[in-house]
Amino acid sequence: MKKILVLEDEANIRSFVVINLRRSGFEPIEAETGEMALEKLRVNPDICLALLDVMLPDIDGFEVCRRIRATGSKMGIIMLTAKSQEIDKVTGLMTGADDYVTKPFSPAELTARVDALIRRLGIDEDERSSTELVSGPFVLNTRNRTLEKDGQRLKLTQIEYLLMKLFMENPGKAMSREDILTAVWGNDFKGELKTVDVNIRRLRIKIESDPTEPEYLTTVWGYGYKWGY
Ligand code: CA
């Protein structure tokens, strides 16, 4: 998971940002003061992006930004500025920030800016280009391993997640129970083919409107299963 530094002294804004980053599959690292932020950066050299508030109790966000750049770091930096701080945008970009977001901002806006910057900086391009599998009402996010149906999160076990990934990557393809067992449980698994059926049955209860008349995860009689959507 990609680490993002969140420097913000106001606890409610900070937790709002943290919750939304976590929801988008990032690992937020929190800091309340400029000094604390610099310390967190020292112990987490793999932080790829920083969100920096400007008005802080100790050193301001621009100074933190300047100090990060002084170390030669190329990490993404987004300044969080207040509306009245138009001038801050100019100062921020001059001290080496890549972008700014004006408060108050929506979760969607913040995530969009973070995603855009990560794309622009080319951080883990391969991983990002393949983070979502979409099929009908289902969206499988392979970065945070979650499944949504019509925008509603469905709780899956890791095995169920792997089954969904296998099916959604192979739409319309009939897969034998042996193939499924090997793909999901691995070559060394000594279990029975029944294991596949048991888990498919459980998965159907979660994803199908009527598990007895499956619409998506259909049975291929005498063979196995397929993603029928
Ligand atoms: Ca502040």
Side-chain angles (χ1 to χ4, degrees):
M1 253 193 286
K2 281 189 267 299
K3 291 184 183 173
I4 298 187
L5 177 77
V6 181
L7 168 57
E8 169 64 68
D9 58 320
E10 279 169 66
N12 54 342
I13 300 180
R14 194 172 63 247
S15 63
F16 165 81
V17 170
V18 162
I19 287 165
N20 286 292
L21 288 176
R22 220 168 258 151
R23 212 170 269 162
S24 303
F26 296 106
E27 185 186 340
I29 308 283
E30 300 178 54
E32 280 174 55
T33 64
E35 290 294 353
M36 198 191 283
L38 293 166
E39 178 55 29
K40 293 272 164 112
L41 285 165
R42 268 190 292 274
V43 295
N44 296 282
D46 53 338
I47 288 176
C48 70
L49 196 143
L51 300 174
L52 308 178
D53 178 31
V54 176
M55 300 291 282
L56 296 162
D58 56 346
I59 46 175
D60 73 32
F62 296 132
E63 178 60 18
V64 174
C65 178
R66 205 189 55 72
R67 290 198 199 172
I68 292 173
R69 289 297 184 232
T71 65
S73 169
K74 301 266 193 294
M75 81 171 59
I77 298 180
I78 297 176
M79 305 301 299
L80 306 177
T81 70
K83 255 211 162 60
S84 57
Q85 297 167 321
E86 285 298 311
I87 187 74
D88 291 352
K89 295 171 186 172
V90 183
T91 320
L93 297 175
M94 274 166 49
T95 48
D98 298 291
D99 201 358
Y100 57 86
V101 179
T102 309
K103 292 181 199 173
F105 46 80
S106 67
E109 187 184 358
L110 180 71
T111 315
R113 294 296 190 84
V114 167
D115 283 341
L117 183 54
I118 284 178
R119 242 186 339 263
R120 188 141 56 88
L121 297 175
I123 302 166
D124 283 355
E125 258 164 9
D126 300 343
E127 193 193 327
R128 290 203 58 78
S129 60
S130 59
T131 51
E132 279 190 354
L133 286 169
V134 181
S135 179
F138 298 97
V139 178
L140 189 79
N141 186 315
T142 57
R143 186 172 60 193
N144 50 18
R145 300 167 81 92
T146 55
L147 177 71
E148 285 183 359
K149 183 184 182 186
D150 294 321
Q152 297 287 103
R153 178 78 60 91
L154 301 180
K155 271 207 155 126
L156 299 185
T157 64
Q158 287 308 311
I159 289 292
E160 289 161 352
Y161 164 78
L162 291 171
L163 281 168
M164 276 307 283
K165 186 162 177 281
L166 178 67
F167 284 114
M168 288 178 75
E169 280 172 342
N170 296 281
K173 184 184 170 193
M175 278 180 288
S176 71
R177 291 144 89 222
E178 288 85 354
D179 290 344
I180 297 168
L181 197 69
T182 307
V184 173
W185 282 267
N187 272 323
D188 303 332
F189 185 72
K190 299 282 182 280
E192 295 174 61
L193 291 175
K194 247 194 332 210
T195 313
V196 175
D197 303 320
V198 170
N199 280 277
I200 296 269
R201 207 176 305 142
R202 272 197 221 123
L203 181 56
R204 276 176 173 163
I205 294 169
K206 296 185 182 178
I207 65 166
E208 301 282 355
S209 315
D210 179 359
T212 60
E213 294 281 334
E215 194 183 339
Y216 307 103
L217 221 177
T218 52
T219 301
V220 181
W221 294 108
Y223 187 68
Y225 300 93
K226 90 177 173 180
W227 189 248
Y229 185 76

